[in-house]
């Protein structure tokens, strides 16, 4: 049974969705969160549509069995291909993420913006609809980077290798005189420092994490599903309260435990689960 105290399920192919979890935690600190990383099958950016949809259906069924009250698909690649299928099939609120083309078109002065996303996102119908809908008077230089997702999955966000991979993606964007950069993959906010170093802060960076958290808050408010916090506790009491965070992966649990510590400063032991795909 879903109650106000039930967790919010947050899903990604790997650790990228932790950037969205961070924004949700900042906006809704009392909510219990259940994070799911499908790391055994990451990166999704190289996978085809049918594969991603079958993984998503299997995982959302699992999350439903954990009684989550809402799901955030914290993965652009999964959202652009499957969010509409999920919404038809499941009753609970499902919030997706997609590249911030609209805010980039609103903010760019040079009318040139870069987009970093997966190859799968860039060739999707949904992404190309966003470009025609909101970006028609703006030039978008789109760059795909699986190597960057692999780097972040292995815990590397600032080594010379990552810098080289990132520079190769940023150069065409800078040469085209872009002043704005859309982070169209939830892994990339973990490269923000590296982007600033390599571009000397020349690019306005658009990350949709906070907008997703706001949208989630609105949906939960609408459906009367926000948690009702207990009477306030003192700081000392709060130390003894259980952390309402759970991390689950189809990959290596120890690696996810390390990554939540490295990327978020959160120390919770992750669990391993096996989830079968559902090809419908
Ligand atoms: N973090 C994901 C996204 O936002 C997917 C990266 C991948 O698995 O290729 O698209």
């Amino acid at each position: 049974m879903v109650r106000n105290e039930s967790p919010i399920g947050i899903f990604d192919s790997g650790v990228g969705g932790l950037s969205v979890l961070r924004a949700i935690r900042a906006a809704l600190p009392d909510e219990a969160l259940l994070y799911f990383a499908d790391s055994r099958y990451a990166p999704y950016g190289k996978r085809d549509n049918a594969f991603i949809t079958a993984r998503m259906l299997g995982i959302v069924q699992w999350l439903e069995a954990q009684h989550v009250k809402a799901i955030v698909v914290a993965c652009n690649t999964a959202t652009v291909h499957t969010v509409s299928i999920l919404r038809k099939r499941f009753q609970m609120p499902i919030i997706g993420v997609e590249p911030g083309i609209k805010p980039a078109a609103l903010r760019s002065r040079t009318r040139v913006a870069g987009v970093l996303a997966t190859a799968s996102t860039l060739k999707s119908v949904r992404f190309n609809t966003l470009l025609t809908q909101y970006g028609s008077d703006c030039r978008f230089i789109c760059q795909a980077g699986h190597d960057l997702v692999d780097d972040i999955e292995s815990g590397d966000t600032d080594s010379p290798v990552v810098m080289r991979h990132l520079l190769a993606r940023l150069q065409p964007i800078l040469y085209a005189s872009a002043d704005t950069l859309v982070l169209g993959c939830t892994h990339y906010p973990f490269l923000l420092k590296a982007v600033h170093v390599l571009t000397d802060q020349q690019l306005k960076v658009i990350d949709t994490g906070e907008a997703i958290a706001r949208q989630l808050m609105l949906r939960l408010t609408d459906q009367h599903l926000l948690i009702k916090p207990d009477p306030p506790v003192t700081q000392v009491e709060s130390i003894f309260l259980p952390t309402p965070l759970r991390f689950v992966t189809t990959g290596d649990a120890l690696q996810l435990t390390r990554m939540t510590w490295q990327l978020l400063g959160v120390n919770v032991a992750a669990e391993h689960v096996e989830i079968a795909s559902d090809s419908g």
Side-chain angles (χ1 to χ4, degrees):
M1 234 264 294
V2 166
R3 298 173 312 162
N4 293 61
E5 295 71 30
S6 300
I8 297 161
I10 304 172
F11 161 87
D12 183 39
S13 61
V15 297
L18 293 175
S19 67
V20 180
L21 178 140
R22 180 172 59 187
I24 292 174
R25 243 183 127 209
L28 299 165
D30 297 313
E31 295 289 345
L33 306 177
L34 165 51
Y35 186 81
F36 190 102
D38 199 18
S39 306
R40 180 169 171 199
Y41 302 96
Y44 275 10
K46 287 182 194 161
R47 307 280 188 176
D48 65 35
N49 221 339
F51 181 91
I52 298 172
T53 305
R55 290 304 303 153
M56 294 289 299
L57 289 173
I59 291 161
V60 173
Q61 280 168 49
W62 185 85
L63 287 170
E64 195 179 37
Q66 309 302 305
H67 308 294
V68 297
K69 61 183 176 184
I71 289 184
V72 178
V73 182
C75 174
N76 293 263
T77 313
T79 300
V80 292
H81 293 299
T82 65
V83 81
S84 50
I85 301 172
L86 296 178
R87 286 186 182 134
K88 276 188 208 130
R89 191 132 155 203
F90 298 92
Q91 298 301 314
M92 72 190 89
I94 296 183
I95 287 99
V97 301
E98 49 190 24
I101 297 302
K102 187 178 173 186
L106 287 171
R107 291 174 66 181
S108 170
R109 284 168 189 260
T110 59
R111 311 312 294 146
V112 184
V115 183
L116 285 183
T118 66
S120 177
T121 297
L122 295 176
K123 58 178 192 243
S124 69
V125 175
R126 177 67 196 147
F127 177 73
N128 287 286
T129 310
L130 283 177
L131 287 184
T132 14
Q133 222 172 345
Y134 301 114
S136 51
D137 71 329
C138 214
R139 209 168 122 229
F140 283 89
I141 315 293
C142 301
Q143 294 285 307
H146 305 304
D147 44 5
L148 292 171
V149 171
D150 288 333
D151 293 338
I152 297 163
E153 284 295 314
S154 69
D156 187 356
T157 54
D158 56 6
S159 76
V161 174
V162 177
M163 291 310 218
R164 217 175 36 245
H165 289 160
L166 185 58
L167 189 62
R169 298 305 171 330
L170 291 175
Q171 257 161 357
I173 292 171
L174 292 169
Y175 286 152
S177 306
D179 63 350
T180 306
L181 176 69
V182 177
L183 301 181
C185 169
T186 53
H187 281 74
Y188 297 158
F190 294 118
L191 296 177
L192 191 60
K193 247 196 233 155
V195 169
H196 285 325
V197 168
L198 290 173
T199 63
D200 205 13
Q201 313 230 17
Q202 274 178 59
L203 298 171
K204 288 187 274 281
V205 178
I206 312 267
D207 164 20
T208 47
E210 283 176 21
I212 302 307
R214 277 197 301 275
Q215 210 187 325
L216 172 66
M217 196 191 300
L218 288 178
R219 290 293 299 279
L220 293 178
T221 310
D222 263 10
Q223 312 229 347
H224 308 289
L225 276 175
L226 275 177
I227 198 163
K228 298 182 180 82
D230 292 332
V233 289
T234 64
Q235 229 174 0
V236 176
E237 281 169 331
S238 75
I239 296 171
F240 299 104
L241 290 174
T243 320
L245 291 175
R246 187 176 166 204
F247 297 91
V248 169
T249 177
T250 53
D252 179 357
L254 202 60
Q255 172 66 359
L256 182 58
T257 305
R258 274 191 221 110
M259 293 301 290
T260 54
W261 173 248
Q262 180 186 327
L263 299 174
L264 304 177
V266 166
N267 191 10
V268 176
E271 305 155 46
H272 171 84
V273 290
E274 302 279 343
I275 307 276
S277 305
D278 176 351
S279 5

